Amino acid sequence: MGLCRWILATLFLTALVPPGKAADAIELHLDATDAPRKRLQAHLVIPTVPGQMTLCYPKWIAGEHGPTGPITDLTGIKIRAKGKPVEWKRDDADTYAINLTVPEGVTTIEVDVEFIATPAKDGFSAAASVTPRLAVLNWNHVLLYPKERAIQQAKVNASLTLPAGWKMGCSLPIESDKGVKIHFESTTLEMLCDSPIICGKNYLEVPIGPKDGPPHFLCVVAESPEALKLSPELKTCYDRLITESYALFGAR
């Protein structure tokens, strides 16, 4: 498996919000420490206002051309406001929507979800992609977002925790990596869902392409260290791929 990686607020808000973070963004932390057992957990903090609210699970996934979001594998949904449980109900007409009432005085809700990775080989990005030694993680698998927010503009601050000893590759710019938790720069919901992660116990990152211009990397995970070996001939092919793609499209 491979992945190429491309590398006015007020003074008051500037002082409170860390650099690279959006003040009204959804906070999403994906805990993949239990990925070897095909279990993902996520914690979301979603800005809101009191009143009726609908949360949506991504239905239409980029590159799949259909309503294929794996809602059947989402479980363990818990919603809280100020530490107290909030009742929620599946929408009667849309199984991808959850309805709830935000209590008075509440500006954010906290949502916990779990995703059980399937062993089935079909299902596009939701197909079998997790083993005890590697995983392909898709953010849309653990994402709930307010229905009224356009995914092209809505911001999200994402972070990730991997199993001990695992490394990862992703096209999202990294804001900080302290070894335990990886924080990514603020992005849109649309870009987040289009930025999968490959990670694993056996990981290799190889710079490819010409030395001048934007850096490109080939990120590989494998079941064994032996499977990571890259022949000089194959490395040359990947180098040429970058040059030829630029010649063909005129852009990176």
Side-chain angles (χ1 to χ4, degrees):
M1 286 179 275
L3 178 69
C4 288
R5 187 180 71 184
W6 291 266
I7 310 295
L8 227 233
T10 62
L11 291 176
F12 176 72
L13 284 176
T14 301
L16 293 180
V17 181
K21 297 296 184 183
D24 61 345
I26 295 172
E27 300 284 340
L28 168 58
H29 177 64
L30 172 54
D31 183 352
T33 54
D34 213 15
R37 297 176 61 241
K38 298 185 180 297
R39 176 172 172 261
L40 305 177
Q41 297 173 282
H43 180 75
L44 300 97
V45 180
I46 304 174
T48 187
V49 294
Q52 296 300 309
M53 182 182 192
T54 298
L55 294 176
C56 294
Y57 186 73
K59 179 189 296 187
W60 292 81
I61 310 304
E64 298 186 10
H65 313 294
T68 54
I71 187 70
T72 54
D73 298 316
L74 186 73
T75 184
I77 303 174
K78 297 178 182 179
I79 303 177
R80 294 180 176 274
K82 291 187 174 181
K84 297 181 179 179
V86 175
E87 293 186 3
W88 57 271
K89 182 180 182 297
R90 296 273 187 185
D91 189 88
D92 293 333
D94 185 0
T95 57
Y96 285 79
I98 292 174
N99 298 319
L100 61 133
T101 301
V102 179
E104 289 295 327
V106 170
T107 57
T108 61
I109 59 170
E110 296 188 46
V111 182
D112 290 296
V113 300
E114 294 183 6
F115 184 83
I116 307 302
T118 177
K121 294 182 180 180
D122 55 352
F124 295 99
S125 63
S129 55
V130 178
T131 79
R133 289 170 292 278
L134 61 82
V136 179
L137 307 177
N138 292 275
W139 296 98
N140 56 279
H141 290 172
V142 294
L143 176 64
L144 289 172
Y145 64 94
K147 183 177 181 179
E148 66 275 7
R149 290 199 180 190
I151 63 171
Q152 294 83 1
Q153 287 83 40
K155 293 290 186 177
V156 57
N157 300 328
S159 58
L160 170 70
T161 300
L162 293 172
W166 283 33
K167 296 182 179 180
M168 71 99 208
C170 182
S171 60
L172 292 176
I174 295 176
E175 182 180 77
S176 66
D177 182 356
K178 297 181 180 179
V180 177
K181 182 184 289 188
I182 302 166
H183 291 267
F184 299 92
E185 293 184 7
S186 184
T187 188
T188 64
L189 288 177
E190 180 182 43
M191 186 62 69
L192 181 78
C193 290
D194 202 24
S195 303
I197 295 167
I198 62 169
C199 55
K201 186 175 182 180
N202 303 298
Y203 175 83
L204 176 68
E205 184 174 287
V206 182
I208 59 175
K211 294 183 179 180
D212 57 326
H216 296 75
F217 300 88
L218 176 67
C219 302
V220 186
V221 290
E223 291 288 339
S224 67
E226 292 75 20
L228 291 177
K229 294 179 180 179
L230 190 65
S231 68
E233 293 80 10
L234 189 57
K235 172 66 165 60
T236 300
C237 288
Y238 282 119
D239 287 338
R240 290 175 179 172
L241 176 65
I242 304 302
T243 302
E244 291 174 2
S245 63
Y246 182 72
L248 178 62
F249 299 108
R252 297 177 177 85

